[in-house]
Amino acid sequence: MISEKLQKALNEQITAEMWSANLYLSMSFYFEKEGFEGFAHWMKKQSQEELDHAYKMASYLIERGGSALVDKIDVVPTGWGNPLEVFKHVYDHECHVSKLINDLLTLAQEEKDFATQSFLWDFVKEQIEEEATAQGIVSKLEKAGDAGLFCIDAELGKR
Ligand code: MG
């Protein structure tokens, strides 16, 4: 059985993952309105992945005898200046999420909950990929300038 402390922390992470899903959905809508179909598609997939993280954490909590909660989700940002600004925001957000996961793992270590530590390592590894992917897109956008924007848009549309 999972401890109350870890159960509470994992439920807070579920809320954070759902907030991330909404953030990326908001970015997807922004791109759709701006005519970047590829970026919009990429963001929708990213949003779905965040929901999948929340579902995975909920199932894990239930498996361990805990309860998973759907809590209130705060509003997410809605306005950006250009695609580069959006992807810089994605990178910063993923670094923040990495910190949240690291804090959770630290708590699982303090609680001597080895099962939860093992469960969380997948998310630690996932964050390496998330940060690298966002940083990669930022670099491409910085090099491409306005003329190359639609090439990157087409590329991300293939996700
Ligand atoms: Mg996530």
Side-chain angles (χ1 to χ4, degrees):
M1 178 112 183
I2 197 157
S3 73
E4 279 295 325
K5 219 172 170 181
L6 260 177
Q7 178 173 240
K8 187 173 175 286
L10 270 165
N11 269 311
E12 282 167 6
Q13 190 59 35
I14 288 172
T15 303
E17 299 292 341
M18 289 172 78
W19 190 89
S20 296
N22 281 359
L23 174 67
Y24 295 144
L25 197 57
S26 177
M27 288 172 172
S28 178
F29 294 163
Y30 161 79
F31 280 133
E32 197 171 325
K33 186 169 168 56
E34 294 295 312
F36 294 107
E37 296 293 330
F39 291 149
H41 169 78
W42 191 94
M43 282 298 175
K44 230 170 237 173
K45 287 234 159 172
Q46 189 72 6
S47 175
Q48 186 58 55
E49 265 193 29
E50 300 307 336
L51 277 183
D52 289 342
H53 295 162
Y55 300 160
K56 212 171 148 187
M57 286 170 186
S59 294
Y60 174 75
L61 261 177
I62 294 162
E63 246 175 4
R64 292 292 312 283
S67 298
L69 305 172
V70 178
D71 211 338
K72 187 172 144 250
I73 315 291
D74 285 340
V75 289
V76 293
T78 50
W80 295 271
N82 54 49
L84 178 60
E85 196 184 300
V86 178
F87 280 97
K88 278 184 171 168
H89 191 165
V90 173
Y91 175 72
D92 289 343
H93 182 63
E94 288 302 333
C95 290
H96 166 69
V97 173
S98 298
K99 195 194 168 297
L100 294 180
I101 299 290
N102 289 350
D103 290 348
L104 262 178
L105 188 55
T106 304
L107 182 62
Q109 285 168 338
E110 284 165 7
E111 296 282 293
K112 295 185 169 55
D113 185 329
F114 299 112
T116 301
Q117 288 172 43
S118 170
F119 174 75
L120 288 170
W121 278 117
D122 282 347
F123 288 92
V124 172
K125 283 179 240 164
E126 166 86 15
Q127 283 312 116
I128 299 171
E129 200 186 307
E130 297 280 24
E131 285 183 30
T133 303
Q135 185 55 56
I137 298 169
V138 166
S139 298
K140 271 189 189 171
L141 287 169
E142 278 171 343
K143 286 176 196 141
D146 284 349
L149 256 184
F150 284 94
C151 287
I152 304 172
D153 180 58
E155 189 191 325
L156 266 60
K158 291 177 194 145
R159 180 178 185 178

